[in-house]
Amino acid sequence: MTKRSHATHRLKKLSFSTGGIALTLAVLTGCVTPGDPNIFNPTTPPGIPLPPNSVSDRVLEMAAEDLSIPESELGILRVNEETWPDGCLGIGTANEGCLQALVEGWQLEVVHGNQSWFYRTDSTGATVRQSYLENNLPPSLGSLVLSQAVKDTGISQEQLDIVRAEPRVWDGCLGVEDNGTSCPQVRYFGWRVTLISDDRLLVYHTEMLGYQIRLNRLQNTALLRNIIP
């Protein structure tokens, strides 16, 4: 596949319109809320940064090789611009020598049918690694959620840990409705993030970039013993 056809394929999978920047997908994945047939045309905040074609093309090419799936059947869903802690993009092995320098790059979610995989890259796509982490919450978003939790609770950030992060597609209220408030008729890509302190859980709903972060107050008083491994 030529670079031009790579780019054309990418645009088929990930297209944006100006104004509200509506994201239309050719593929919806198992990462969306199960059993909801009404999820369509998810939207993202204006001004979302997109990786250069060299990055998305290389990720799709590598994913096709890794997964033994035709590249034409793969798409890209969530995209986040990140700063990685080292040359191994924060996911090096124990015996691997990693350049000790901050690396600007991206995290991309590759999708096929009802499955998805996360990849990390540098800024150009010269370095691409599949993430095998259980929790692939983008680090930039994790930092924003932790900061919000500190504001909401007064608990120091050192006493908070993110123990679970699940990709979601939310309604206009991010799945957290206030009494008497109608939700905008939109869908947002986002995450459900669970934090733990000494004696309780905190559950946050966020869209993809962290422009909106909402505490699920119905669940924020759950006791530590109620965590499901």
Side-chain angles (χ1 to χ4, degrees):
M1 186 178 288
T2 66
K3 183 169 183 178
R4 181 173 179 178
S5 59
H6 269 305
T8 302
H9 168 63
R10 175 176 176 271
L11 289 173
K12 287 180 181 177
K13 296 296 186 181
L14 188 63
S15 63
F16 291 83
S17 64
T18 57
I21 305 192
L23 175 59
T24 303
L25 298 173
V27 180
L28 289 179
T29 77
C31 292
V32 303
T33 305
D36 186 349
N38 298 314
I39 292 173
F40 63 98
N41 293 340
T43 57
T44 64
I48 179 174
L50 291 175
N53 287 348
S54 61
V55 171
S56 54
D57 292 348
R58 179 59 184 141
V59 167
L60 287 171
E61 180 183 359
M62 186 170 176
E65 296 172 0
D66 291 344
L67 307 170
S68 299
I69 296 173
E71 189 174 336
S72 60
E73 296 181 15
L74 298 174
I76 293 173
L77 195 61
R78 292 168 178 81
V79 175
N80 289 84
E81 192 171 19
E82 299 294 328
T83 300
W84 306 118
D86 54 46
C88 296
L89 312 182
I91 48 177
T93 61
N95 298 324
E96 188 173 2
C98 301
L99 174 68
Q100 296 303 301
L102 297 178
V103 175
E104 300 300 318
W106 301 87
Q107 176 168 290
L108 290 82
E109 182 183 22
V110 175
V111 297
H112 178 259
N114 64 349
Q115 295 178 290
S116 68
W117 303 264
F118 287 89
Y119 281 79
R120 294 183 176 188
T121 81
D122 63 4
S123 60
T124 65
T127 301
V128 178
R129 286 175 173 252
Q130 184 180 353
S131 171
Y132 295 99
L133 298 177
E134 229 176 87
N135 172 10
N136 284 288
L137 182 72
S140 59
L141 183 53
S143 295
L144 292 173
V145 173
L146 285 168
S147 296
Q148 186 63 48
V150 170
K151 293 178 183 177
D152 290 342
T153 66
I155 300 172
S156 70
Q157 189 162 316
E158 290 72 25
Q159 294 177 289
L160 293 166
D161 289 301
I162 294 174
V163 294
R164 182 176 298 167
E166 304 156 287
R168 286 286 187 270
V169 174
W170 301 118
D171 59 20
C173 294
L174 301 186
V176 182
E177 298 184 23
D178 296 324
N179 290 335
T181 301
S182 61
C183 296
Q185 296 302 304
V186 295
R187 294 289 183 267
Y188 289 113
F189 289 127
W191 295 80
R192 182 180 185 272
V193 185
T194 304
L195 290 75
I196 185 174
S197 66
D198 289 339
D199 61 352
R200 62 175 169 170
L201 300 179
L202 298 167
V203 179
Y204 281 90
H205 297 188
T206 172
E207 41 65 60
M208 190 166 66
L209 299 182
Y211 289 1
Q212 297 183 60
I213 300 173
R214 303 191 67 180
L215 177 63
N216 186 330
R217 297 187 181 277
L218 296 178
Q219 299 184 23
N220 74 333
T221 57
L223 296 178
L224 174 60
R225 63 176 177 271
N226 290 330
I227 296 180
I228 300 174

